Amino acid sequence: MNTLTAGDAAPLFSLPDQDGNPVALESLKGKKVLVYFYPKAMTPGCTVQAQGLRDIQNELQQNNVVVLGISPDAVKRLPKFIEKEQLNFTLLSDEDHTVADAFGVWGPKKFMGKEYDGIHRITFLIDEEGNVEQVFNKFKTKEHHLVILNYLNNGE
């Protein structure tokens, strides 16, 4: 796994959103884009993480930040997650984990003694020019949104 770091150019991508419409990173130039990778919709950790981002949407918008949640879930699973949790941001389907590979977040994981390949819970803040401004990879899911806000407000 070769995870992108601050200063790297973000890989250009286009993925289907919860409605099956393509969303291209390039179309968001001029805005900051929070690209957060999560393992699976409607699981406890992913739900808490998404709820936190939902709850700070106003602050994110004030900072010109658009949120894109990316998982290997099928498109048809995403609207259920959005509806159930009343999410107010875009979810993208990366079923073949091509984008996760490009960002360096797909790799070996361990859970309950089993090893497998999967998404690592890492978030990237992409600047207005399309470069990685900040990488968030040390956080508890319930504090993810606070770590993001702290960075946006204090640069830490």
Side-chain angles (χ1 to χ4, degrees), residues 23-88:
V23 173
L25 181 61
E26 198 168 37
S27 71
L28 297 169
K29 267 210 169 132
K31 292 185 177 282
K32 290 187 180 221
V33 183
L34 190 72
V35 177
Y36 88 97
F37 289 90
Y38 65 98
K40 190 172 184 180
M42 294 182 279
T43 56
C46 296
T47 297
V48 167
Q49 188 177 15
Q51 289 168 337
L53 291 171
R54 173 198 67 201
D55 294 346
I56 63 164
Q57 203 48 231
N58 286 339
E59 291 95 327
L60 292 170
Q61 288 172 356
Q62 288 166 6
N63 282 284
N64 197 32
V65 176
V66 174
V67 176
L68 298 177
I70 300 178
S71 73
D73 290 307
V75 169
K76 67 181 181 189
R77 187 175 172 89
L78 301 178
K80 294 173 190 164
F81 190 32
I82 286 176
E83 186 178 329
K84 184 171 188 252
E85 300 306 327
Q86 299 177 342
L87 301 180
N88 49 11

Coordinates of all heavy atoms in Angstrom, one line a residue, residues 23-88:
V23 N -19.6 11.1 -11.0 CA -19.1 12.3 -10.4 C -17.6 12.3 -10.6 O -16.9 11.3 -10.3 CB -19.4 12.3 -8.9 CG1 -18.7 13.4 -8.2 CG2 -20.9 12.4 -8.6
A24 N -17.1 13.4 -11.2 CA -15.6 13.5 -11.5 C -15.0 14.5 -10.6 O -15.5 15.5 -10.4 CB -15.4 13.9 -13.0
L25 N -13.8 14.1 -10.1 CA -13.1 15.0 -9.2 C -12.8 16.3 -9.9 O -12.9 17.4 -9.3 CB -11.8 14.3 -8.7 CG -10.9 15.1 -7.7 CD1 -11.7 15.4 -6.4 CD2 -9.7 14.4 -7.4
E26 N -12.4 16.2 -11.1 CA -12.0 17.4 -11.9 C -13.2 18.4 -12.0 O -12.9 19.6 -12.0 CB -11.6 17.0 -13.3 CG -10.9 18.0 -14.1 CD -10.2 17.4 -15.3 OE1 -10.9 16.6 -16.0 OE2 -9.1 17.9 -15.7
S27 N -14.4 18.0 -11.9 CA -15.5 18.9 -12.0 C -15.7 19.7 -10.7 O -16.4 20.7 -10.6 CB -16.8 18.1 -12.2 OG -17.2 17.4 -11.1
L28 N -14.9 19.4 -9.7 CA -15.0 20.1 -8.4 C -13.8 21.0 -8.2 O -13.6 21.6 -7.1 CB -15.1 19.1 -7.2 CG -16.4 18.2 -7.3 CD1 -16.3 17.1 -6.3 CD2 -17.6 19.0 -7.0
K29 N -13.0 21.2 -9.2 CA -11.9 22.2 -9.1 C -12.4 23.5 -8.6 O -13.5 24.0 -9.0 CB -11.1 22.3 -10.4 CG -10.0 21.3 -10.4 CD -8.8 21.9 -11.3 CE -7.6 21.0 -11.1 NZ -7.0 20.5 -12.3
G30 N -11.6 24.2 -7.8 CA -12.1 25.5 -7.2 C -12.7 25.3 -5.9 O -13.0 26.3 -5.2
K31 N -13.0 24.1 -5.5 CA -13.5 23.8 -4.1 C -12.5 22.8 -3.5 O -11.8 22.1 -4.1 CB -14.9 23.1 -4.2 CG -16.0 24.0 -4.7 CD -17.3 23.2 -4.6 CE -18.5 24.1 -5.0 NZ -18.9 25.0 -4.0
K32 N -12.6 22.8 -2.2 CA -11.8 21.8 -1.4 C -12.7 20.5 -1.4 O -13.9 20.7 -1.3 CB -11.5 22.2 0.0 CG -10.5 23.3 0.0 CD -10.1 23.6 1.5 CE -9.0 24.7 1.4 NZ -8.0 24.5 2.4
V33 N -12.1 19.4 -1.6 CA -12.9 18.1 -1.6 C -12.4 17.2 -0.5 O -11.2 16.9 -0.5 CB -12.8 17.4 -3.0 CG1 -13.7 16.2 -3.0 CG2 -13.2 18.4 -4.1
L34 N -13.3 16.8 0.4 CA -12.9 15.9 1.4 C -13.3 14.5 0.9 O -14.5 14.2 0.8 CB -13.7 16.2 2.7 CG -13.2 15.4 4.0 CD1 -11.9 15.9 4.4 CD2 -14.3 15.5 5.1
V35 N -12.3 13.7 0.5 CA -12.5 12.4 0.0 C -12.2 11.4 1.2 O -11.1 11.3 1.6 CB -11.5 12.1 -1.2 CG1 -11.7 10.6 -1.6 CG2 -11.7 13.1 -2.3
Y36 N -13.3 10.8 1.7 CA -13.1 9.8 2.8 C -13.5 8.4 2.3 O -14.5 8.2 1.7 CB -13.8 10.3 4.0 CG -15.2 9.9 4.2 CD1 -15.6 8.8 5.0 CD2 -16.3 10.6 3.7 CE1 -16.9 8.4 5.2 CE2 -17.6 10.3 3.9 CZ -17.9 9.1 4.7 OH -19.2 8.8 4.9
F37 N -12.6 7.5 2.6 CA -12.8 6.1 2.2 C -13.3 5.4 3.5 O -12.7 5.5 4.6 CB -11.4 5.5 1.8 CG -11.0 6.0 0.4 CD1 -10.2 7.1 0.3 CD2 -11.4 5.4 -0.7 CE1 -9.8 7.6 -0.9 CE2 -11.0 5.9 -2.0 CZ -10.2 7.0 -2.1
Y38 N -14.3 4.6 3.3 CA -14.9 3.8 4.4 C -15.2 2.4 3.9 O -15.5 2.2 2.7 CB -16.1 4.5 5.0 CG -17.3 4.6 4.0 CD1 -18.3 3.6 4.1 CD2 -17.4 5.6 3.0 CE1 -19.4 3.7 3.2 CE2 -18.5 5.7 2.2 CZ -19.5 4.7 2.2 OH -20.5 4.8 1.4
P39 N -15.1 1.4 4.7 CA -15.2 0.0 4.3 C -16.6 -0.4 3.8 O -16.7 -1.1 2.8 CB -14.8 -0.8 5.5 CG -14.0 0.1 6.4 CD -14.6 1.5 6.1
K40 N -17.7 -0.1 4.5 CA -19.0 -0.7 4.1 C -20.1 0.2 4.7 O -20.2 0.4 5.9 CB -19.0 -2.1 4.6 CG -20.2 -2.9 4.1 CD -20.2 -4.3 4.4 CE -21.3 -5.1 3.8 NZ -21.3 -6.5 4.1
A41 N -21.0 0.5 3.9 CA -22.2 1.3 4.3 C -23.0 0.5 5.3 O -23.1 -0.7 5.3 CB -23.1 1.6 3.1
M42 N -23.6 1.2 6.3 CA -24.5 0.7 7.2 C -23.9 -0.3 8.3 O -24.6 -1.1 8.9 CB -25.8 0.0 6.6 CG -26.6 1.1 5.8 SD -28.1 0.4 5.0 CE -27.4 -0.2 3.5
T43 N -22.6 -0.2 8.4 CA -21.9 -0.9 9.5 C -21.7 0.1 10.6 O -21.7 1.3 10.4 CB -20.6 -1.5 9.0 OG1 -19.8 -0.5 8.5 CG2 -20.8 -2.6 8.0
P44 N -21.5 -0.3 11.9 CA -21.5 0.6 13.0 C -20.4 1.7 12.9 O -20.8 2.9 13.0 CB -21.2 -0.3 14.2 CG -21.7 -1.6 13.8 CD -21.5 -1.7 12.3
G45 N -19.2 1.4 12.6 CA -18.1 2.4 12.5 C -18.4 3.4 11.4 O -18.2 4.6 11.5
C46 N -18.8 2.9 10.2 CA -19.0 3.7 9.0 C -20.2 4.6 9.3 O -20.3 5.7 8.8 CB -19.2 2.8 7.8 SG -17.7 1.9 7.4
T47 N -21.2 4.1 10.0 CA -22.4 4.9 10.3 C -22.1 6.1 11.2 O -22.4 7.2 10.9 CB -23.5 4.0 10.9 OG1 -23.9 3.0 10.0 CG2 -24.7 4.9 11.3
V48 N -21.3 5.8 12.2 CA -20.9 6.9 13.2 C -20.1 8.0 12.4 O -20.3 9.2 12.6 CB -20.1 6.3 14.4 CG1 -19.4 7.4 15.1 CG2 -21.1 5.5 15.3
Q49 N -19.2 7.5 11.6 CA -18.3 8.4 10.8 C -19.2 9.3 9.9 O -19.0 10.5 9.8 CB -17.3 7.6 10.0 CG -16.2 8.5 9.3 CD -15.2 7.6 8.6 OE1 -15.4 6.4 8.4 NE2 -14.1 8.2 8.3
A50 N -20.1 8.7 9.2 CA -21.0 9.4 8.2 C -21.9 10.4 9.0 O -22.1 11.5 8.5 CB -21.8 8.5 7.4
Q51 N -22.4 10.0 10.1 CA -23.3 10.9 10.9 C -22.5 12.1 11.4 O -23.0 13.2 11.4 CB -23.8 10.2 12.2 CG -24.8 9.1 11.8 CD -25.1 8.2 13.0 OE1 -24.3 8.1 14.0 NE2 -26.3 7.6 13.0
G52 N -21.2 12.0 11.7 CA -20.4 13.1 12.2 C -20.2 14.1 11.0 O -20.4 15.3 11.2
L53 N -20.0 13.6 9.8 CA -19.8 14.5 8.7 C -21.1 15.2 8.3 O -21.2 16.3 8.0 CB -19.2 13.7 7.5 CG -17.8 13.3 7.6 CD1 -17.4 12.4 6.5 CD2 -16.9 14.5 7.7
R54 N -22.2 14.4 8.5 CA -23.6 15.0 8.2 C -23.8 16.2 9.2 O -24.3 17.2 8.7 CB -24.6 13.9 8.5 CG -26.0 14.4 8.4 CD -27.0 13.4 9.1 NE -26.7 13.3 10.5 CZ -27.1 12.3 11.3 NH1 -27.7 11.3 10.8 NH2 -26.9 12.3 12.6
D55 N -23.4 16.0 10.4 CA -23.7 17.0 11.4 C -22.9 18.3 11.3 O -23.3 19.3 11.9 CB -23.6 16.4 12.8 CG -24.6 15.3 13.1 OD1 -25.6 15.2 12.3 OD2 -24.5 14.5 14.0
I56 N -21.8 18.2 10.6 CA -20.9 19.4 10.4 C -21.0 20.0 9.0 O -20.2 20.8 8.6 CB -19.5 19.2 10.8 CG1 -18.8 18.2 9.9 CG2 -19.4 18.8 12.3 CD1 -17.3 18.2 10.0
Q57 N -22.0 19.6 8.3 CA -22.1 20.0 6.9 C -22.1 21.5 6.7 O -21.5 22.1 5.8 CB -23.4 19.4 6.3 CG -23.4 19.3 4.8 CD -22.2 18.6 4.2 OE1 -21.6 19.2 3.3 NE2 -21.8 17.5 4.7
N58 N -22.8 22.3 7.6 CA -22.8 23.8 7.5 C -21.3 24.3 7.6 O -20.9 25.2 6.8 CB -23.7 24.4 8.6 CG -25.1 24.2 8.2 OD1 -25.5 24.0 7.1 ND2 -26.0 24.3 9.3
E59 N -20.6 23.8 8.6 CA -19.2 24.3 8.8 C -18.3 23.9 7.6 O -17.5 24.7 7.1 CB -18.6 23.7 10.0 CG -19.2 24.2 11.3 CD -20.3 23.3 11.8 OE1 -21.1 22.7 11.1 OE2 -20.5 23.3 13.1
L60 N -18.6 22.7 7.0 CA -17.8 22.3 5.8 C -18.1 23.2 4.7 O -17.2 23.7 4.0 CB -18.1 20.9 5.5 CG -17.6 19.8 6.5 CD1 -18.1 18.5 6.2 CD2 -16.1 19.8 6.5
Q61 N -19.4 23.5 4.4 CA -19.8 24.4 3.3 C -19.2 25.8 3.5 O -18.8 26.4 2.6 CB -21.3 24.5 3.2 CG -21.8 23.2 2.7 CD -23.4 23.1 2.7 OE1 -24.0 24.0 3.2 NE2 -23.9 22.0 2.2
Q62 N -19.1 26.3 4.8 CA -18.6 27.6 5.0 C -17.1 27.7 4.7 O -16.5 28.7 4.4 CB -18.7 28.0 6.5 CG -20.2 28.4 6.8 CD -20.4 28.4 8.3 OE1 -19.5 28.3 9.1 NE2 -21.7 28.6 8.7
N63 N -16.4 26.5 4.7 CA -15.0 26.4 4.4 C -14.8 25.9 2.9 O -13.7 25.5 2.5 CB -14.3 25.4 5.3 CG -14.0 26.0 6.7 OD1 -13.1 26.8 6.8 ND2 -14.8 25.7 7.6
N64 N -15.9 26.0 2.1 CA -15.8 25.6 0.7 C -15.4 24.2 0.5 O -14.7 23.8 -0.5 CB -14.9 26.6 -0.1 CG -15.0 26.6 -1.6 OD1 -16.1 26.4 -2.1 ND2 -13.9 26.7 -2.3
V65 N -15.9 23.3 1.4 CA -15.5 21.9 1.3 C -16.7 21.0 0.9 O -17.8 21.1 1.5 CB -15.0 21.4 2.7 CG1 -14.7 19.9 2.7 CG2 -13.8 22.1 3.1
V66 N -16.5 20.2 -0.1 CA -17.4 19.2 -0.6 C -17.0 17.9 -0.1 O -15.8 17.5 -0.2 CB -17.5 19.2 -2.2 CG1 -18.4 18.1 -2.7 CG2 -17.9 20.6 -2.7
V67 N -18.0 17.0 0.4 CA -17.6 15.7 0.9 C -18.0 14.6 -0.1 O -19.1 14.7 -0.7 CB -18.4 15.4 2.2 CG1 -18.1 14.0 2.7 CG2 -18.0 16.4 3.3
L68 N -17.1 13.7 -0.3 CA -17.3 12.5 -1.2 C -16.9 11.3 -0.3 O -15.7 11.2 0.0 CB -16.4 12.6 -2.4 CG -16.7 13.7 -3.4 CD1 -15.7 13.6 -4.6 CD2 -18.1 13.7 -3.9
G69 N -17.9 10.5 0.0 CA -17.6 9.2 0.7 C -17.4 8.1 -0.3 O -18.3 8.0 -1.2
I70 N -16.3 7.4 -0.3 CA -16.1 6.3 -1.3 C -15.9 5.0 -0.5 O -15.2 4.8 0.4 CB -14.8 6.6 -2.1 CG1 -14.9 7.9 -2.8 CG2 -14.5 5.5 -3.0 CD1 -13.7 8.4 -3.6
S71 N -16.7 4.0 -1.1 CA -16.6 2.6 -0.5 C -16.7 1.6 -1.7 O -17.1 2.0 -2.8 CB -17.7 2.4 0.5 OG -18.9 2.2 -0.2
P72 N -16.4 0.4 -1.4 CA -16.6 -0.6 -2.5 C -18.0 -1.1 -2.6 O -18.3 -2.1 -3.3 CB -15.6 -1.8 -2.1 CG -15.4 -1.6 -0.6 CD -15.6 -0.1 -0.3
D73 N -18.9 -0.5 -1.9 CA -20.3 -0.9 -2.0 C -20.9 -0.7 -3.4 O -20.5 0.2 -4.1 CB -21.2 0.0 -1.0 CG -20.9 -0.3 0.4 OD1 -21.0 -1.5 0.8 OD2 -20.6 0.6 1.2
A74 N -21.9 -1.5 -3.7 CA -22.6 -1.4 -5.0 C -23.4 -0.1 -4.9 O -23.9 0.3 -3.9 CB -23.4 -2.6 -5.3
V75 N -23.7 0.5 -6.1 CA -24.5 1.7 -6.2 C -25.8 1.5 -5.5 O -26.3 2.4 -4.7 CB -24.7 2.2 -7.6 CG1 -25.7 3.3 -7.7 CG2 -23.4 2.6 -8.3
K76 N -26.5 0.4 -5.7 CA -27.8 0.2 -5.1 C -27.9 0.2 -3.6 O -28.9 0.4 -3.0 CB -28.4 -1.1 -5.7 CG -27.7 -2.4 -5.2 CD -28.3 -3.6 -5.8 CE -27.6 -4.9 -5.2 NZ -27.9 -6.1 -5.9
R77 N -26.7 0.0 -2.9 CA -26.7 0.0 -1.5 C -26.6 1.4 -0.9 O -27.1 1.7 0.2 CB -25.5 -0.8 -1.0 CG -25.4 -1.0 0.5 CD -24.2 -2.0 0.8 NE -24.0 -2.0 2.2 CZ -24.5 -2.9 3.0 NH1 -25.4 -3.8 2.5 NH2 -24.3 -2.9 4.3
L78 N -26.1 2.3 -1.7 CA -25.8 3.7 -1.2 C -27.1 4.5 -0.9 O -27.1 5.2 0.2 CB -24.9 4.4 -2.2 CG -23.6 3.7 -2.4 CD1 -22.7 4.5 -3.5 CD2 -22.8 3.5 -1.2
P79 N -28.1 4.5 -1.7 CA -29.3 5.3 -1.4 C -29.9 4.9 0.0 O -30.5 5.7 0.7 CB -30.3 5.0 -2.5 CG -29.5 4.5 -3.6 CD -28.3 3.9 -3.0
K80 N -29.9 3.6 0.3 CA -30.4 3.1 1.6 C -29.7 3.7 2.7 O -30.3 4.1 3.7 CB -30.3 1.6 1.6 CG -31.2 0.8 0.6 CD -30.9 -0.7 0.6 CE -31.6 -1.3 -0.5 NZ -31.1 -2.7 -0.8
F81 N -28.3 3.8 2.6 CA -27.5 4.4 3.7 C -27.8 5.8 3.8 O -28.0 6.3 4.9 CB -26.0 4.1 3.3 CG -25.0 4.5 4.4 CD1 -25.3 4.3 5.7 CD2 -23.8 4.9 4.0 CE1 -24.4 4.6 6.7 CE2 -22.8 5.2 5.0 CZ -23.1 5.0 6.4
I82 N -27.9 6.5 2.7 CA -28.2 8.0 2.7 C -29.6 8.2 3.4 O -29.7 9.1 4.3 CB -28.2 8.6 1.3 CG1 -26.7 8.7 0.9 CG2 -28.9 9.9 1.3 CD1 -26.5 9.2 -0.5
E83 N -30.6 7.4 3.0 CA -31.9 7.6 3.5 C -32.0 7.3 5.0 O -32.5 8.1 5.8 CB -32.9 6.8 2.7 CG -34.4 7.0 3.1 CD -35.3 6.2 2.3 OE1 -35.0 5.8 1.1 OE2 -36.4 5.8 2.8
K84 N -31.4 6.2 5.4 CA -31.5 5.7 6.7 C -30.8 6.7 7.7 O -31.3 7.0 8.8 CB -30.8 4.3 6.9 CG -30.9 3.7 8.2 CD -30.4 2.3 8.2 CE -30.7 1.6 9.5 NZ -29.5 1.4 10.3
E85 N -29.7 7.3 7.3 CA -28.9 8.2 8.2 C -29.1 9.6 7.8 O -28.4 10.5 8.4 CB -27.4 7.8 8.1 CG -27.1 6.4 8.6 CD -27.7 6.0 9.9 OE1 -27.8 6.9 10.8 OE2 -28.1 4.9 10.1
Q86 N -30.0 9.9 6.9 CA -30.3 11.3 6.4 C -29.0 12.0 6.1 O -28.7 13.2 6.5 CB -31.1 12.0 7.5 CG -32.4 11.4 7.7 CD -33.2 12.1 8.8 OE1 -32.7 12.8 9.6 NE2 -34.5 11.8 8.8
L87 N -28.2 11.4 5.3 CA -26.9 12.0 4.9 C -27.1 13.1 3.9 O -27.9 13.0 3.0 CB -25.9 10.9 4.3 CG -25.6 9.7 5.3 CD1 -24.7 8.7 4.6 CD2 -25.1 10.2 6.6
N88 N -26.3 14.1 4.0 CA -26.4 15.3 3.2 C -25.2 15.6 2.3 O -24.8 16.7 2.1 CB -26.7 16.5 4.0 CG -25.8 16.6 5.2 OD1 -24.8 15.9 5.3 ND2 -26.1 17.5 6.2

